[in-house]
Each structure stands twice: as structure tokens, then as C-alpha cells.
Amino acid sequence: MNNNYLNRKHVNTFEIYCHSDKGDRENQEDYYCVSYGKSTMLATICDGIGGCKGGEIASHTAIQYLHHKFECIDATDVSFYTDLIDELDTQVFFLKDKYNRRLRAGTTIASVLINGNRLDWFSVGDSRVYIIRESEMIQVTRDHNFKELLIEYLKDGRITKEQFYGRSYEYAKLISYIGMGGIQLYNISKNSLQLRKGDLILIMSDGLYKSVDMEQILPISRYNTSLIMKKLCEMSYAEKTKHRDNTTFILIRYI
């Protein structure tokens, strides 16, 4: 487990590249981890929520707990996620600070479990999982933020377009995350995806998609994996802002 470096690994039929950068933030609240079982792999990114290092503690706690469980039972299918949702939420919800007060921090999570050529995924919050196959790039997770809720309200006619755009300052507010004390919204694969040779899996915290035009990723997906990773890093660094966020992503190619 690490949260601050570029890492590359070849495992059986996969190429795995990981990158994490603190950006201009004081703390690194993103954590990532890749673990391996007998025929399986678990790859996860958590993006912490909460000041005074609370988010950092929450994200580290969640990812450490999830991967420890994976290594103990050598999980092989999506039931690993469904069995752990409430347990994972509780672990973070009851975290305490040095004064023995509840930390009141949380974390997003985006995770994939691969068994042979079978892929399952799980996410809560606004960290994402994408699948890139040939000329198509699909976000298989959904963001759990206020913008998505407002979009539903707009479609249902419960708010007007003026009201939708008038609340743009609330778009990024999360409506579901690990540690909130009772998760109602989460993404979990209903059916495993059968991977094909050449498929790319891209897991990311919001630091990447908020600094990179996602439409620019598909054209570079035909490059070799190391070059794609290099391009993604260049694109994320190219965004010149005063407050560049923590940025973490994992790129996996099925070979």
C-alpha cells in the first residue's frame, strides 16, 4: 500500500500501473492498494473527506480494512463487496481523534475485483471506474454527489433548469460515502464483465477527471500501457490552478 509514487507491475495476464500525487494540497488524502490472491486481484482507491488529517485517516483505514479482509479470505466474486459494505462503513464511522471524540471523517471508494478474466466492481462517492474496450470508454460507476441528485430532480420535473444551474455551487457535495453511518447509495456490479485481451480498466479519484478532459483519454488508449500512463500523468499536471487536488489513478490492462 502506498499513496505517493508511480508504480508498475506485471502479474500473469495483467499490466498494472499506479500513480498518486499530492498536488498543491497540504495532506495526501488519497490512498491506493493492489493485492493478489491465488487467481485474483483487488485494486482500490480511496479519497478521504475531512479536515485536520481526518480524511487521510479515513481513507487509509478503509483501504487497509478492505484489503486485509481480501487477503484473509482470498475473495473470488462480488459477494466479497456486498458482505462488507456495512462493516466497512462502521469501521470509518466510529474512528476517533486523540481526544476520544468521533472523528467525523469519511472516504470515497472505487474498487475492482478480478478473478481470471472476470471483473466486478464497487464504489461509493465520486471516485470512478472506467472500462475501455476498442473504441468505447464507459464509466461503470455513478457519482454520488448532489449534481447527480439534481439531474434526477430535473428529469422528474421537480426543479427547473434555472433552479438546477442556480445550485451549481452544491454540485460536488457528496450524498454517499464510507463512514456516513448507514450507506444507502453505492455502485456494485450486477453481473461480472468478461474481460477481453486489450481491455483497459481505469480507477481514479476525482482529482484526475476534474483536471483532465475525459474525452482525451480514449484516443490515447491505443498506445502501449506505459505510454498511456505517461500521457495521463502529463495531462493531469498540465492543469494550472492554484489548488491542484490530490490525484490518484490505477491503470490495468488485460493482456
Side-chain angles (χ1 to χ4, degrees), residues 9-18 33-44 67 70 74-77 80-81 111-116 118-120 195 201 203 250-254:
K9 190 167 185 176
H10 290 252
V11 180
N12 297 327
T13 55
F14 294 95
E15 290 180 306
I16 306 114
Y17 288 76
C18 307
C33 189
V34 181
S35 298
Y36 309 95
K38 294 177 181 177
S39 62
T40 56
M41 175 171 64
L42 182 72
T44 308
H67 282 254
F70 169 77
D74 192 20
T76 58
D77 59 45
F80 168 69
Y81 291 130
S111 180
V112 301
L113 174 62
I114 302 173
N115 184 4
R118 194 173 74 234
L119 171 72
D120 287 294
L195 294 171
I201 304 149
I203 314 167
I250 301 172
L251 181 66
I252 303 168
R253 184 187 290 276
Y254 181 58

Side-chain angles (χ1 to χ4, degrees), residues 11-204:
V11 180
N12 297 327
T13 55
F14 294 95
E15 290 180 306
I16 306 114
Y17 288 76
C18 307
H19 173 74
S20 192
D21 175 61
K22 191 171 73 169
D24 298 325
R25 301 297 178 112
E26 183 177 347
N27 297 321
Q28 171 59 284
E29 297 187 330
D30 288 359
Y31 272 86
Y32 73 83
C33 189
V34 181
S35 298
Y36 309 95
K38 294 177 181 177
S39 62
T40 56
M41 175 171 64
L42 182 72
T44 308
I45 289 175
C46 286
D47 179 0
I49 311 154
C52 299
K53 293 194 174 182
E56 185 176 349
I57 295 169
S59 60
H60 185 262
T61 298
I63 207 165
Q64 188 175 48
Y65 188 81
L66 185 74
H67 282 254
H68 173 69
K69 286 289 186 178
F70 169 77
E71 290 165 1
C72 286
I73 66 176
D74 192 20
T76 58
D77 59 45
V78 73
S79 65
F80 168 69
Y81 291 130
T82 55
D83 292 345
L84 278 179
I85 293 172
D86 291 337
E87 203 171 320
L88 193 60
D89 181 53
T90 299
Q91 288 293 315
V92 177
F93 181 77
F94 286 108
L95 283 172
K96 294 184 177 180
D97 64 17
K98 61 182 179 181
Y99 303 107
N100 205 36
R101 300 173 303 196
R102 196 163 68 80
L103 194 60
R104 297 186 181 278
T107 182
T108 72
I109 190 168
S111 180
V112 301
L113 174 62
I114 302 173
N115 184 4
N117 71 335
R118 194 173 74 234
L119 171 72
D120 287 294
W121 59 83
F122 166 64
S123 77
V124 183
D126 62 358
S127 293
R128 297 176 176 178
V129 177
Y130 285 86
I131 308 298
I132 304 172
R133 175 176 289 173
E134 297 175 349
S135 60
E136 193 172 20
M137 178 173 172
I138 299 174
Q139 181 184 343
V140 296
T141 56
R142 182 180 179 184
D143 298 342
H144 299 131
N145 56 31
F146 201 60
K147 182 177 182 180
E148 291 296 314
L149 187 63
L150 289 175
I151 289 172
E152 285 188 13
Y153 288 171
L154 183 62
K155 288 179 179 178
D156 293 344
R158 283 182 277 180
I159 61 173
T160 65
K161 285 186 178 180
E162 290 74 18
Q163 290 173 319
F164 175 79
Y165 292 115
R167 302 183 71 173
S168 60
Y169 62 94
E170 295 183 277
Y171 283 174
K173 181 180 177 182
L174 292 179
I175 57 175
S176 188
Y177 56 88
I178 299 291
M180 67 186 302
I183 296 173
Q184 299 297 320
L185 292 174
Y186 54 86
N187 301 297
I188 200 160
S189 50
K190 294 181 179 179
N191 298 296
S192 300
L193 176 69
Q194 299 298 312
L195 294 171
R196 301 175 187 170
K197 287 187 177 181
D199 283 356
L200 289 167
I201 304 149
L202 182 58
I203 314 167
M204 66 182 74

